[in-house]
Amino acid sequence: QVQLVESGGGLVQAGGSLRLSCTASGRTLSIYAMGWFRQAPGKERELVAALSWSGGRPHYADSVKGRFTISRDNAKNTLYLQMDSLKPEDTAVYYCALGPPRLGDSVYYHSNEYVSWGQGTQVTVSS
């Protein structure tokens, strides 16, 4: 079993920053493709950012490109999502997800391509 745990969410004002972290037990994250998703009330879960297993092919949703950065610290076995210039529309529960290991160097865009999920962390951005 894989346990993914997100942390770092909270309440910030528009224009502020947060850094989300995702740690895992039972797996070494450096060999897996990874993703960050979010889900706002009444909306479908959507991809925010994704990373290939090598870390060389990041992908960002158009709505966050230029503001968010996905990264991985192999020494700490931790995935991060740095969120800058936050907007009220970024308010959602954010989830990290574990994808396929060592399969080419692809990023994955759909939730059904991921095999493990964290419990989520709430991000709220006030006007």
Side-chain angles (χ1 to χ4, degrees):
Q1 297 186 120
V2 179
Q3 292 184 318
L4 300 176
V5 180
E6 304 96 338
S7 62
L11 174 64
V12 298
Q13 293 184 326
S17 297
L18 287 172
R19 175 175 285 184
L20 306 184
S21 299
C22 176
T23 59
S25 62
R27 294 289 187 275
T28 300
L29 298 184
S30 63
I31 67 171
Y32 290 87
M34 302 291 298
W36 285 99
F37 289 77
R38 68 185 181 188
Q39 188 166 23
K43 295 185 178 180
E44 193 171 301
R45 185 174 297 187
E46 64 175 348
L47 179 70
V48 177
L51 195 66
S52 65
W53 75 267
S54 73
R57 295 193 60 190
H59 169 81
Y60 300 96
D62 289 342
S63 60
V64 307
K65 191 173 184 179
R67 300 188 296 120
F68 290 11
T69 304
I70 186 171
S71 63
R72 184 173 57 218
D73 186 330
N74 292 338
K76 296 182 178 180
N77 200 35
T78 301
L79 181 75
Y80 299 100
L81 184 67
Q82 177 67 43
M83 305 186 294
D84 298 320
S85 301
L86 283 161
K87 303 175 180 179
E89 51 263 43
D90 295 319
T91 296
V93 177
Y94 284 71
Y95 302 88
C96 71
L98 188 74
R102 296 174 177 170
L103 188 61
D105 198 27
S106 300
V107 296
Y108 298 89
Y109 306 102
H110 308 292
S111 61
N112 61 7
E113 296 175 302
Y114 292 82
V115 297
S116 296
W117 297 82
Q119 295 297 306
T121 186
Q122 177 71 47
V123 172
T124 303
V125 185
S126 62
S127 300

